[in-house]
């Protein structure tokens, strides 16, 4: 089966610009996660969707980050405006259902903010 | 809140050496525990998991045992290979918190021939 797809793989922007990342989960997976991985750290959850509803966005900086999952399939994460500290790898993961099901990760998008 | 702490790297070993990467956790409930691996230039892959106390997860010669009494999930391998060079992440997931993964900071392993 096809894995989790993400695009773009790399993005370089200047601070105060906006950027968007796209994720297509594994077919049939109801739960979708966005994680932020800063260099030298473990991934940290930004937002979790169950179908097209938000389950957890407690760690999402809502003044600049937004995410949507229309129709409960693919998802977009946006940053506007970007700050230097947003430089990180943004990982998308999906699982069949929330809870104890295995999460499958995409290759990530490496964002550099200059 | 829930958290994971793992030993700092980098860890450098010679081929065929014994590997231990320590991981301890703090959790209010009964989490599942995981080891993920990130090879250079690749995404995160699940290496092994354990869902309850005293379970042993194993894969590709790696193993880890869920120790509730010491809140630990140490990763071990009897004989490492150059191809095991990667970053290893310990993580936990609590079903009652939606299943999100909470990761440790990662341990970089470098195996020399």
């Amino acid at each position: 089966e096809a894995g989790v797809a993400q695009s773009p793989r790399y993005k370089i922007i200047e601070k105060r610009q906006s950027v968007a990342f796209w994720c297509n989960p594994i077919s049939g997976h109801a739960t979708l996660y966005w994680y932020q991985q800063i260099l030298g750290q473990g991934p940290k959850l930004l937002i979790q969707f169950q179908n097209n509803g938000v389950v957890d966005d407690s760690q999402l900086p809502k003044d600049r980050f937004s995410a949507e999952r229309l129709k409960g399939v693919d998802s977009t994460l946006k940053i506007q405006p970007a700050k230097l500290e947003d430089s990180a790898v943004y990982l998308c993961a999906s699982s069949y259902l929330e809870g104890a099901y295995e999460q499958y990760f995409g290759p990530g998008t490496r964002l550099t903010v200059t | 809140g829930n958290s994971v702490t793992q030993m700092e790297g980098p860890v450098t070993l010679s081929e065929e050496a014994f590997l231990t990467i320590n991981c301890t956790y703090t959790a209010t409930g009964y989490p599942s525990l995981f080891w993920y691996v990130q090879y250079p230039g690749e995404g995160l892959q699940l290496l092994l998991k354990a869902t309850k106390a005293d379970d042993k997860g194993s894969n590709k010669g790696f193993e880890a045992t869920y120790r509730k009494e010491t809140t630990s999930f140490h990763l071990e391998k009897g004989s490492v290979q150059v191809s095991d060079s990667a970053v290893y992440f310990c993580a936990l997931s609590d079903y009652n918190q939606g299943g999100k993964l909470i990761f440790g900071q990662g341990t970089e392993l470098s195996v020399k021939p």
Side-chain angles (χ1 to χ4, degrees):
Chain A
E1 63 181 7
V4 177
Q6 290 188 248
S7 67
R9 291 295 309 277
Y10 306 91
K11 190 74 176 179
I12 301 174
I13 61 172
E14 295 181 352
K15 59 184 179 183
R16 291 187 290 274
Q17 287 186 325
S18 63
V19 65
F21 313 126
W22 175 82
C23 172
N24 190 35
I26 292 173
S27 178
H29 280 195
T31 308
L32 186 147
Y33 307 82
W34 283 102
Y35 292 87
Q36 180 192 56
Q37 185 178 12
I38 293 172
L39 186 64
Q41 299 181 19
K44 182 185 76 173
L45 181 74
L46 290 175
I47 189 167
Q48 176 184 345
F49 292 94
Q50 178 71 13
N51 295 310
N52 59 351
V54 175
V55 174
D56 184 348
D57 64 356
S58 58
Q59 299 298 307
L60 187 74
K62 298 180 186 65
D63 58 333
R64 298 183 301 105
F65 285 64
S66 65
E68 61 183 11
R69 190 183 184 198
L70 299 176
K71 301 180 182 179
V73 181
D74 54 355
S75 176
T76 303
L77 177 69
K78 297 179 182 178
I79 307 175
Q80 182 178 12
K83 293 185 175 181
L84 296 177
E85 58 261 36
D86 298 332
S87 294
V89 176
Y90 291 84
L91 297 167
C92 180
S94 71
S95 66
Y96 180 64
L97 286 173
E98 65 180 337
Y101 294 88
E102 180 178 344
Q103 294 183 29
Y104 295 83
F105 284 81
T109 296
R110 182 176 298 277
L111 174 67
T112 302
V113 182
T114 62
Chain B
N2 295 346
S3 66
V4 174
T5 302
Q6 54 183 113
M7 65 185 285
E8 290 190 15
V11 174
T12 302
L13 296 173
S14 297
E15 207 165 20
E16 299 183 2
F18 184 86
L19 168 71
T20 299
I21 301 178
N22 290 337
C23 171
T24 57
Y25 68 91
T26 302
T28 53
Y30 301 93
S32 295
L33 301 175
F34 305 83
W35 277 100
Y36 278 82
V37 60
Q38 191 169 37
Y39 297 104
E42 299 185 17
L44 278 168
Q45 302 175 26
L46 178 64
L47 181 59
L48 55 84
K49 67 179 181 182
T51 58
K52 61 183 187 296
D54 300 325
D55 269 2
K56 178 185 284 189
S58 61
N59 186 25
K60 299 181 180 179
F62 291 89
E63 58 181 34
T65 301
Y66 189 146
R67 301 286 189 197
K68 189 172 185 295
E69 64 276 13
T70 55
T71 62
S72 65
F73 193 55
H74 304 320
L75 182 68
E76 297 181 335
K77 186 175 185 182
S79 176
V80 294
Q81 305 300 311
V82 172
S83 57
D84 294 327
S85 298
V87 181
Y88 293 82
F89 293 92
C90 185
L92 69 80
S93 171
D94 187 338
Y95 177 83
N96 293 319
Q97 294 188 9
K100 68 180 180 185
L101 287 165
I102 296 173
F103 287 88
Q105 73 271 33
T107 303
E108 182 180 1
L109 171 66
S110 178
V111 181
K112 306 298 185 184

